[in-house]
Amino acid sequence: MVREKIRVSTRTLQWKCVESRTDSKCLYYGRFILSPLMKGQADTIGIAMRRALLGEIEGTCITRAKSEKIPHEYSTIVGIQESIHEILMNLKEIVLRSNLYGTCEASICVKGPRCVTAQDIILPSYVEIVDNTQHIASLTEPIDLCIGLQLERNRGYRIKTPNNFQDGSYPINALFMPVRNVNHSIHSYGNGNEKHEILFLEIWTNGSLTPKEALYEASRNLIDLFIPFLHAEEENLHLENNQHKISLPLFTFHNRFTDLSKKKIQKALKYIFIDQLELPPRLYNCLKKSNIHTLLDLLNNSQEDLMKMEHFRLEDAKQIFGTLEKRFAIDLQKNQNKR
């Protein structure tokens, strides 16, 4: 049986941003269309994209606050207009943009009387605040307010648990999702077998990403989830003796990536981005500044090429070796011995 050729392919699909606006520093809106789609495809893509936009994009939040002067979450302090609980809720609303991996520390240390805003937070260089005017507390007397903060980059939503309280340290409900809401709708046109569809996507973000950036991130993350299925018949990707390990052609930084002869493998690595390696921010930024964005870009550089980059050290190369071996089963040392 010969499968009929699909008349509408991904090569003919086009997407466009038809509306974009900034309602406030923490509320962006974008409306996009994708067409032409065959009947049923718009719903398939719309549902998948909505879930990816809401659940697969990472964001940065304040997840914990600490102060030795706070007896409990619902206490009040003389000279501060808000209760501690209200201050924690204000900290929860602060929107951050970062390249952070894992957690890091920040702090607030001010003296009243004054109004404390997000601008008073002392942050690492790789974290920035979207709206510096966001209110935190009002100091009505000449007292010192010092609060230690924990920042974390993650996805989804985290609710604080009762057993997560420590001495003078209080968890904060974290809404990591940069996308606040997504709507999708479908417009059909044509008759009978010639019926096609247009997908409309509406995206609202918190300002840490624009709707266009969110659409790109969600699409990339959605593709990453399906990449393993592309290699089901790849002879170099197999399971043996119940060992659930993917065997890829191996490499060393001393040998150019041209040793990989399979174009399909190169294509797969092209869609694995270096932010998935969970490298330290300094090393991540060092690679990005050298236009290394994907695993394919990285493997196309020799160790000598990397050592020429500004601020790149030998320890960084060793860390990349270990990360590739751990996360992608690429055993650099074993391959070096074979060669």
Side-chain angles (χ1 to χ4, degrees):
M1 181 178 177
V2 179
R3 184 179 179 180
E4 291 184 9
K5 184 177 180 180
I6 298 177
R7 299 181 61 180
V8 178
S9 70
T10 55
R11 293 183 179 180
T12 64
L13 291 179
Q14 293 182 346
W15 74 276
K16 181 188 299 184
C17 179
V18 294
E19 185 179 355
S20 179
R21 68 172 185 264
T22 302
D23 295 329
S24 68
K25 289 183 178 180
C26 295
L27 184 59
Y28 285 55
Y29 172 80
R31 188 165 181 252
F32 306 87
I33 61 172
L34 178 66
S35 68
L37 295 165
M38 298 185 68
K39 185 178 180 181
Q41 288 182 335
D43 204 34
T44 300
I45 298 174
I47 293 173
M49 285 304 304
R50 185 178 189 277
R51 293 181 65 89
L53 283 161
L54 293 174
E56 297 298 328
I57 304 179
E58 293 185 341
T60 304
C61 290
I62 299 173
T63 56
R64 185 174 289 274
K66 182 177 182 180
S67 177
E68 296 178 355
K69 296 182 180 180
I70 301 177
H72 57 81
E73 181 182 358
Y74 297 97
S75 62
T76 58
I77 297 178
V78 176
I80 302 180
Q81 183 173 313
E82 293 83 2
S83 68
I84 299 303
H85 178 73
E86 289 174 320
I87 293 175
L88 294 178
M89 292 301 98
N90 291 337
L91 290 172
K92 173 187 172 182
E93 297 300 319
I94 294 175
V95 180
L96 303 171
R97 181 190 295 116
S98 79
N99 290 324
L100 171 68
Y101 290 94
T103 63
C104 72
E105 303 298 324
S107 63
I108 300 173
C109 193
V110 296
K111 184 177 181 63
R114 58 170 296 178
C115 181
V116 183
T117 65
Q119 187 175 3
D120 296 306
I121 302 177
I122 303 172
L123 295 165
S125 59
Y126 46 85
V127 181
E128 60 179 297
I129 297 172
V130 172
D131 184 4
N132 283 324
T133 65
Q134 287 181 275
H135 180 76
I136 297 177
S138 297
L139 306 185
T140 58
E141 297 184 12
I143 63 171
D144 294 325
L145 176 65
C146 292
I147 303 176
L149 303 174
Q150 176 181 280
L151 313 182
E152 182 176 344
R153 184 177 176 87
N154 213 317
R155 64 183 62 184
Y157 184 76
R158 181 189 300 162
I159 301 177
K160 61 185 179 183
T161 55
N163 60 355
N164 201 17
F165 289 84
Q166 304 170 6
D167 292 338
S169 178
Y170 302 93
I172 300 174
N173 291 339
L175 183 64
F176 295 106
M177 300 180 294
V179 177
R180 291 301 188 229
N181 192 23
V182 181
N183 285 335
H184 84 273
S185 57
I186 301 168
H187 171 71
S188 299
Y189 64 95
N191 297 312
N193 295 330
E194 298 296 325
K195 200 166 187 178
H196 297 303
E197 297 177 338
I198 300 175
L199 173 65
F200 291 84
L201 271 175
E202 292 181 290
I203 303 172
W204 290 262
T205 69
N206 65 1
S208 62
L209 290 176
T210 66
K212 185 177 179 180
E213 290 171 334
L215 187 61
Y216 171 81
E217 288 288 333
S219 301
R220 190 186 70 180
N221 292 340
L222 199 57
I223 290 171
D224 289 343
L225 293 175
F226 287 98
I227 281 180
F229 297 107
L230 299 177
H231 311 298
E233 299 178 359
E234 193 70 44
E235 62 180 359
N236 289 313
L237 304 175
H238 57 276
L239 300 176
E240 293 182 349
N241 301 324
N242 295 324
Q243 295 180 354
H244 301 282
K245 182 176 179 180
I246 296 178
S247 177
L248 287 171
L250 306 175
F251 84 104
T252 68
F253 279 124
H254 299 287
N255 297 280
R256 304 295 292 177
F257 185 59
T258 51
D259 292 339
L260 290 177
S261 59
K262 293 291 185 180
K263 292 183 178 180
K264 289 184 179 180
I265 296 176
Q266 294 189 30
K267 184 177 180 180
L269 296 178
K270 182 179 179 181
Y271 293 102
I272 300 177
F273 292 78
I274 62 170
D275 53 3
Q276 296 172 255
L277 302 181
E278 298 184 357
L279 299 172
R282 184 192 62 79
L283 180 52
Y284 170 82
N285 291 329
C286 182
L287 296 175
K288 294 286 283 188
K289 288 180 181 178
S290 299
N291 292 319
I292 297 176
H293 305 286
T294 67
L295 191 53
L296 181 61
D297 295 335
L298 177 61
L299 302 184
N300 267 321
N301 284 270
S302 66
Q303 180 174 333
E304 289 75 14
D305 294 333
L306 296 177
M307 295 303 297
K308 293 177 183 178
M309 296 190 312
E310 187 179 4
H311 306 308
F312 192 90
R313 305 185 299 238
L314 181 60
E315 292 76 11
D316 298 330
K318 293 179 180 179
Q319 183 167 7
I320 292 175
F321 281 11
T323 300
L324 293 178
E325 181 177 354
K326 179 181 178 181
R327 295 179 64 84
F328 299 99
I330 300 178
D331 192 342
L332 301 172
Q333 188 62 42
K334 180 178 177 181
N335 183 66
Q336 188 175 11
N337 293 336
K338 284 184 177 181
R339 293 179 181 274

